[in-house]
Amino acid sequence: MSVRAWEASNPDFAAAVTGAVLSMPAARHLGFEFGRIAPGEAEIIQPHRVELTQHDGYFQGGVLGSLADFAAGSAAGTLLKPGWVNMTIDYTVKILAPAKGPTVAARGRVIKPGSLITIAAAEVFSIGDDGETLCATALVTMRNVELFKV
């Protein structure tokens, strides 16, 4: 499968996306950080924290869903014009394997950008000493919204 090379209309897309996302209380609570970010792509890295797990030490499914949503939304955000943000309309997550280890990474990518709606996807990987394991996949629909300055 080939990956399309998207072009960002905002030359400061990386700062705009990371700034918008990391200003959200939910993102701060999760404590993740950005990895690779490029036009149409974004990676979010989540270090293991016991409060994000279920009783057996695996990352809780809602955390995986949140990471997928943030990664796909961030990928979509890289293609927005300056002064625009996006919000999730819906997302579907399929958990494929348990996520346990020191790190989980969600890698978002744009499927189809649009002026008002952008479709993106994300794959979530559990990363440990034995490599990466695909543990979830998601399809995300984002609504693009122009911010108005007051």
Side-chain angles (χ1 to χ4, degrees), residues 47-150:
H48 183 273
R49 292 191 358 240
V50 70
E51 62 270 26
L52 301 179
T53 64
Q54 17 186 59
H55 55 82
D56 55 8
Y58 292 103
F59 279 87
Q60 198 274 336
V63 173
L64 300 180
S66 292
L67 292 174
D69 178 34
F70 272 113
S74 295
T78 66
L79 301 183
L80 294 176
K81 294 183 262 183
W84 284 68
V85 296
N86 56 22
M87 294 182 243
T88 304
I89 293 175
D90 71 8
Y91 68 96
T92 302
V93 177
K94 301 298 181 189
I95 297 179
L96 308 171
K100 189 172 188 176
T103 307
V104 172
R107 297 181 185 130
R109 58 190 164 80
V110 170
I111 303 291
K112 183 171 186 347
S115 58
L116 293 178
I117 303 290
T118 298
I119 308 299
E123 286 76 38
V124 182
F125 297 87
S126 179
I127 303 172
D129 293 337
D130 56 346
E132 295 185 354
T133 300
L134 178 64
C135 56
T137 186
L139 187 62
V140 181
T141 306
M142 304 300 295
R143 170 74 161 87
N144 306 323
V145 180
E146 185 175 15
L147 294 178
F148 297 98
K149 295 189 180 196
V150 179

